[in-house]
């Protein structure tokens, strides 16, 4: 049980104290993310220290750890869909790990009753009928119009993690599709509205295609899963197919 002197309702970081580490020039962070007011664990919450390019997610118990990064004063961002994001600046000293506990407040209201009076403007062209056929019959990962609308406020590489898309940030700051093979050098292929993007000028930055412009997503992790129309040489390292909204 936490000490009664700690403020509860308004506290963001209920606990923040150093934990001894072996002598090192690095700092660390670990902790737990819980839901307000029940204090149930929040799995899948993203914990970001942008200044040192460190990101992790909480496990099934709401716990996380970022073991080593440059000491100093850094802003911590904690976020998850369905909760208000939290930010806080903390000072990290070399050789110490700071331990914190974070309260996230749900943003989704409970609706007692719901009457459906219409449907959203779902895409209906032939290309989206083909999308639905593949979604029903292929061993891939898909995001529909409705899935994407829940993620309109996210960057594309963040939103697509939910369907297994893995990216690596290259030296030019591009978030590039990768299978993780060959030390992240296995760059996947990207298709937009049925047209493969050539990578002669460098890998495709998938963040160039904002979530709010998309109507469907397909991801295939390798050639065995990729349907024939997208199964080119580049399918070895994964295939990402993005469909934009119809105008």
């Amino acid at each position: 049980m936490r000490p009664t002197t700690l403020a509860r309702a308004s506290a963001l970081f209920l606990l923040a104290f150093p934990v001894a580490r072996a002598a090192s020039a690095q700092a660390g962070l670990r902790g737990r993310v819980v839901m307000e007011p029940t204090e149930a664990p929040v799995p899948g919450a993203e914990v970001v220290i942008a200044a040192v390019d460190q990101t992790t997610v909480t496990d099934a118990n709401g716990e996380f750890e970022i073991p080593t990064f440059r000491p100093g004063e850094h802003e911590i961002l904690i976020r998850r869909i369905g909760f208000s994001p939290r930010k806080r600046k903390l000072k990290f000293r070399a050789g110490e790990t700071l331990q914190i506990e974070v309260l996230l407040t749900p943003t989704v209201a409970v609706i007692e009753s719901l009457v459906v009076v219409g449907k959203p403007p779902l895409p209906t062209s032939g290309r989206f009928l083909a999308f639905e056929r593949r979604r029903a019959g292929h061993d891939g990962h898909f995001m529909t119009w409705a899935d994407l609308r829940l993620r309109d406020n996210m960057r594309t590489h963040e939103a697509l993690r939910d369907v297994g898309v893995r990216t690596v940030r290259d030296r030019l700051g591009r978030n590039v599709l990768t299978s993780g093979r060959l030390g992240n050098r296995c760059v996947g292929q990207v298709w937009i509205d049925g047209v493969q993007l050539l990578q002669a000028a460098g890998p495709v930055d998938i963040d160039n295609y904002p979530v709010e412009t998309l109507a469907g997503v397909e991801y295939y992790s390798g050639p065995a899963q990729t349907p024939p129309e997208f199964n080119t040489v580049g399918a070895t390292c994964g295939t990402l197919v993005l469909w934009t909204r119809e105008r």
Side-chain angles (χ1 to χ4, degrees):
M1 181 178 294
R2 289 186 296 278
T4 58
T5 55
L6 291 174
R8 299 174 64 83
S10 63
L12 165 58
F13 289 83
L14 298 184
L15 299 174
F17 53 88
V19 177
R21 288 167 54 88
S24 167
Q26 297 294 299
L29 175 67
R30 66 171 177 252
R32 186 166 180 258
V33 180
V34 297
M35 182 188 307
E36 187 179 24
T38 65
E39 298 191 20
V42 179
E46 189 176 34
V47 182
V48 182
I49 310 178
V52 291
D53 197 22
Q54 293 285 343
T55 302
T56 189
V57 295
T58 56
D59 61 19
N61 297 317
E63 297 176 349
F64 67 91
E65 182 174 14
I66 301 178
T68 58
F69 53 88
R70 184 182 71 250
E73 186 175 68
H74 301 307
E75 183 176 78
I76 316 302
L77 169 64
I78 300 91
R79 61 189 175 189
R80 190 184 189 283
I81 293 174
F83 296 84
S84 298
R86 301 285 191 172
K87 290 182 180 181
R88 178 70 179 274
K89 282 188 177 180
L90 294 173
K91 184 171 291 186
F92 296 88
R93 293 185 292 185
E96 290 184 339
T97 291
L98 198 63
Q99 183 161 316
I100 62 175
E101 185 167 296
V102 185
L103 283 172
L104 288 186
T105 304
T107 58
V108 179
V110 176
I111 303 175
E112 293 183 359
S113 61
L114 178 65
V115 177
V116 177
V117 295
K119 294 183 179 181
L122 298 176
T124 57
S125 71
R127 61 186 180 133
F128 286 107
L129 294 177
F131 169 88
E132 290 299 334
R133 286 197 299 270
R134 287 189 295 271
R135 190 162 75 95
H138 279 276
D139 186 19
H141 302 274
F142 297 82
M143 297 184 82
T144 65
W145 175 283
D147 297 327
L148 290 160
R149 299 297 67 79
L150 294 174
R151 297 164 175 82
D152 273 346
N153 63 338
M154 301 176 68
R155 297 184 69 191
T156 305
H157 80 277
E158 297 170 332
L160 301 192
R161 288 175 187 164
D162 290 343
V163 289
V165 171
R166 176 173 177 170
T167 59
V168 61
R169 192 171 184 178
D170 69 8
R171 59 187 179 83
L172 297 179
R174 297 174 295 202
N175 282 294
V176 177
L177 176 68
T178 176
S179 68
R181 302 170 187 167
L182 303 176
N184 289 332
R185 294 194 301 275
C186 196
V187 177
Q189 61 177 353
V190 180
W191 295 65
I192 300 292
D193 294 333
V195 178
Q196 185 177 5
L197 298 181
L198 300 179
Q199 303 197 40
V204 176
D205 185 351
I206 65 173
D207 282 343
N208 286 341
Y209 304 91
V211 175
E212 60 268 24
T213 69
L214 301 178
V217 172
E218 305 175 48
Y219 175 63
Y220 305 96
S221 58
Q225 296 77 34
T226 306
E229 55 265 48
F230 306 124
N231 205 339
T232 67
V233 175
T236 302
C237 296
T239 298
L240 178 64
V241 184
L242 304 177
W243 298 99
T244 59
R245 297 187 187 189
E246 295 176 310
R247 293 176 173 82

